[in-house]
Amino acid sequence: MEVENQNQNQNQEKASIMQRVKGWFKARFEKISSAVAGVGKEGKRLAKEDPRRVVHAFKVGLAIAAISLLYYFDFFFDGFGVNAMWAVMTVVVVFEFSVGATLGKGVNRALATLLGGALGVGTHDLASLAPEKVEVILIGVSVCIIAATATFCRFYPKIRARYDYGFLVFILTFSLISVSGYRDDVVFDMAYRRLTTILIGGCVAILICIFVRPVWAGKDLHRHTAANIEKLACYLEAFGRVYFQESYDKNLAPLKDFKSVLISKSTEDSLVNFARWEPRHGKFRYRHPWNQYLKIGSGTRECAYKIDALNCYLVSDVQTPLELRTKIQDFCTKISSECALALTDVAIGLRSMTCPVASEKHIAEAKAAGKTLKALLKTGLWHDTEFLDIVPVVTVASLLIEIVACTTKIADSVEVLATKAKFKKPDPEMNRQASREKVKRSPSIEASHSVNMVYE
């Protein structure tokens, strides 16, 4: 009887262990399945946001496949040997999303490898003329001085922006070749093979990037800048409607889109650096004034910060009573609507690369309304009202007057760009009709969001 009970207990223990093992495997399987499903959903979202990401993935695969096939040809392998893999590594490292980024990395890598290899071979040759003990000292001192100098140069902002990767490759190539223990002829042959394979890999990456559905950083920068200006116009147009209402929907898209402008500096800096490397494409000629986009972006962010402060009073729980706000409603609405129309006209002209003509009129109207509003605030408009009740509305009025100055700054910066880039003169009737249209959330704003996601 006791033996039977022991057997039953053992069987029960084995069954419980098996159940726990099955439960553990089941939980792991469900977790992996949910993770795979999540990755699939995230992939669909990324592809939907910007279909160019899918094209870019296939372009990278095509470039790697093309350069890998060369590795299996006898004449290529006999000529370069295992160094042929440097071509594959170059494609993986150099191929970027836009043409400008790929060209920048490719040129940096090729020139850095050439200079680093030449200097490394020269250092190796000179050091080999000295006695053996002195040779080690000369190589060590030369590597220290040149590597330290190149590293210090990387701290210069302009060099870091465009040539940081090149200096990094230069230090690596120079150090590897100069301290190698091979004979002179072997060192020269190694440097030659690596440089040649790197050039082959870089050329394949650049050619596929340019000729297979190219993504131009300059075009992205242009659309991104126009879309940011349009977001500010959308907010100002909506603000003029909702601030003087008793209640409104705080989840309106135009009241939130402007926030992405506040964090757009890094994206703009990257796009400008990439665009400088690109050849002429579309309407963008050689020596296009890319630096002017940085000035426009700076003015746009300055205006966005003013709008952000304005938005704090819009969503604040402490509000000036509606009957007090209505005393300056006409002037505030006039300022916000005219600034919105001016920015819309500037954005339309920038996107179509035509000189905006209606923005000056709208800015003049906004300045006149701001001047009248400033004079009205000095007349003691709320002499029988508590001071704390009027602080919010007076601050809103002051911010709107400052936004007029920001709008003027943006329009002037775009006008400078139009002059330098030789924008076309628009049809006055078409431009007037476009500037009177109501501001809407256009596809360019969606494109700007996609650009932010890609280049951040």
Side-chain angles (χ1 to χ4, degrees), residues 414-427:
V414 174
E415 185 178 355
V416 173
L417 175 64
T419 303
K420 291 183 177 180
K422 298 179 181 180
F423 285 5
K424 295 180 180 179
K425 296 292 182 181
D427 183 357

Side-chain angles (χ1 to χ4, degrees), residues 46 48-53 97-98 215-228 231 260 263-272 274 443-456:
L46 292 173
K48 188 175 181 181
E49 282 181 355
D50 192 348
R52 298 180 302 174
R53 290 169 173 161
F97 184 74
S98 66
V215 176
W216 301 102
K219 187 180 293 185
D220 282 349
L221 173 65
H222 193 81
R223 291 191 306 165
H224 172 80
T225 304
N228 280 349
K231 290 175 185 178
S260 63
I263 55 175
S264 62
K265 187 178 188 305
S266 60
T267 302
E268 290 171 359
D269 290 341
S270 298
L271 288 171
V272 168
F274 297 154
S444 62
I445 295 181
E446 296 292 346
S448 174
H449 174 71
S450 176
V451 168
N452 280 320
M453 296 294 292
V454 168
Y455 288 97
E456 284 178 353

Side-chain angles (χ1 to χ4, degrees), residues 90 391 402:
T90 300
V391 167
E402 293 180 10

Side-chain angles (χ1 to χ4, degrees), residues 2-44:
E2 293 180 358
V3 175
E4 292 180 357
N5 291 333
Q6 290 179 356
N7 292 334
Q8 289 179 356
N9 292 334
Q10 291 177 355
N11 292 333
Q12 290 177 356
E13 290 178 359
K14 291 180 180 179
S16 62
I17 292 173
M18 291 298 295
Q19 288 178 355
R20 279 184 287 180
V21 171
K22 289 181 179 179
W24 186 85
F25 277 108
K26 185 178 180 181
R28 297 286 79 77
F29 179 76
E30 291 177 352
K31 189 174 182 180
I32 293 172
S33 299
S34 62
V36 171
V39 171
K41 291 180 180 179
E42 182 69 11
K44 289 181 180 179

Side-chain angles (χ1 to χ4, degrees), residues 231 348 412:
K231 290 175 185 178
I348 291 172
D412 292 341

